[in-house]
Amino acid sequence: MKIMRLGDNGKEQPAVLTSSEDGAEQYFSLLPLTRDVDGAFLAAGGLGKVRAALEAGTLPILPEASALRVGAPLVRPGAVVGIGMNYAAHAAESGSAPPEIPVVFLKPTNTVTGPYDPAPLPPHSSKYDWEVELGVVIGREASYLRSVDEAEDCIAGYVTANDFSEREYQIPGAAGQWTKGKTLPGSTPLGPWLVPANAVDGGNLPLRSWVNGEPRQDSSTAQLIFDAPTLVHHCSQYMRLEPGDVILTGTPEGVALSGRFPYLQPGDVVEVEVEGLGRQRQELFCA
């Protein structure tokens, strides 16, 4: 069961993608259940309602769905929380020791875009980088959680994410700030699907990236220093996570910051994938 939002930007409609017994893809409208995939829908047990409606056969088929634009699989979140250096090998290629506690930063929610939308290269950018990440979607309010087990119950599902980063803005000199380097327009593609947490093992998902068809990153969420429930628990001690919020869990080694690959240029095509959560494709253009 793959939750999607299909249609022109700002006019997306909720849908679910399933596979029939013969392997054929089937799209169903979720409009009988909700006007959109948002925090209220998730908090009200929306994913369970979708599963029940599919089993009952009460959802209408969405005609010509495969021809529609794919938007981010949930409405713009209230918060997008980023986690830095959460893979030891990526911390090493960044010139840092693995963190002893999660490195947390925030991204503006207006950076969220669809998984296949063209990606703007910022003006004057010289070190634009890719980052495949597992995205965690919050399904119920999380504030001052008492345990990691309690935090796990707050996870509605998972998405593929790309955390585009401008390293020249992020790192060098006294003015270098993660906020400047990771908050640029169109820098957080999400999707194509939201997959319920009980349908995948978020702690053991292969994730990969490619630039112009050439492999870049190849790792697994099993290599996370802090896994998804631990991150939800940790963040809840410092902020109130609300249904529909997203945590980006960090990226593995294999980015341009390592010095092994060139930074992105106009016309480059970036693809990122988390197994079971779908593959994205963005073509870079000058903003």
Side-chain angles (χ1 to χ4, degrees):
M1 177 172 104
K2 301 167 181 175
I3 306 299
M4 307 181 72
R5 296 171 66 247
L6 304 174
D8 293 340
N9 192 11
K11 299 179 181 179
E12 295 92 345
Q13 59 180 307
V16 59
L17 172 62
T18 66
S19 297
S20 62
E21 293 183 358
D22 61 3
E25 292 185 334
Q26 296 178 307
Y27 294 83
F28 297 93
S29 173
L30 294 183
L31 286 175
L33 300 179
T34 183
R35 294 184 62 180
D36 217 332
V37 183
D38 56 13
F41 170 72
L42 297 173
L47 298 181
K49 293 176 182 177
V50 173
R51 185 176 295 106
L54 285 172
E55 292 174 354
T58 57
L59 294 177
I61 291 176
L62 190 59
E64 301 181 356
S66 60
L68 296 175
R69 169 187 170 271
V70 179
L74 66 159
V75 173
R76 181 191 291 186
V80 177
V81 183
I83 305 297
M85 297 184 293
N86 199 19
Y87 291 80
H90 175 60
E93 72 177 359
S94 304
S96 301
E100 296 182 3
I101 60 173
V103 176
V104 181
F105 59 95
L106 295 175
K107 292 174 67 76
T109 61
N110 63 9
T111 62
V112 171
T113 187
Y116 310 122
D117 292 342
L121 192 69
H124 315 300
S125 174
S126 61
K127 294 183 178 179
Y128 210 50
D129 210 345
W130 60 89
E131 291 191 357
V132 61
E133 306 203 13
L134 172 70
V136 178
V137 179
I138 302 300
R140 64 178 67 173
E141 184 176 298
S143 181
Y144 301 119
L145 298 176
R146 293 168 294 181
S147 68
V148 172
D149 288 342
E150 189 177 4
E152 189 167 13
D153 290 338
C154 294
I155 299 174
Y158 299 101
V159 296
T160 299
N162 189 349
D163 179 19
F164 281 116
S165 305
E166 199 351 289
R167 306 300 189 187
E168 188 66 26
Y169 302 169
Q170 177 189 352
I171 298 172
Q177 298 177 17
W178 283 40
T179 296
K180 291 179 179 178
K182 290 179 169 286
T183 57
L184 296 154
S187 63
T188 317
L190 296 180
W193 314 309
L194 164 60
V195 176
N198 58 12
V200 293
D201 179 2
N204 189 28
L205 296 175
L207 67 173
R208 307 176 185 89
S209 66
W210 300 260
V211 177
N212 300 326
E214 297 181 358
R216 291 293 186 261
Q217 297 169 278
D218 188 354
S219 187
S220 168
T221 59
Q223 300 302 313
L224 284 166
I225 299 172
F226 307 106
D227 65 11
T230 299
L231 293 173
V232 173
H233 176 262
H234 178 82
C235 290
S236 80
Q237 308 306 307
Y238 303 95
M239 65 186 77
R240 178 186 293 118
L241 297 169
E242 298 179 337
D245 287 350
V246 176
I247 297 177
L248 307 182
T249 57
T251 199
E253 66 174 321
V255 297
L257 179 63
S258 68
R260 293 186 287 133
F261 309 110
Y263 286 100
L264 296 171
Q265 300 293 324
D268 284 347
V269 174
V270 176
E271 296 172 275
V272 302
E273 178 183 48
V274 180
E275 190 167 297
L277 306 182
R279 185 163 172 164
Q280 302 182 1
R281 182 186 187 276
Q282 297 96 32
E283 183 172 351
L284 278 291
F285 71 95
C286 290

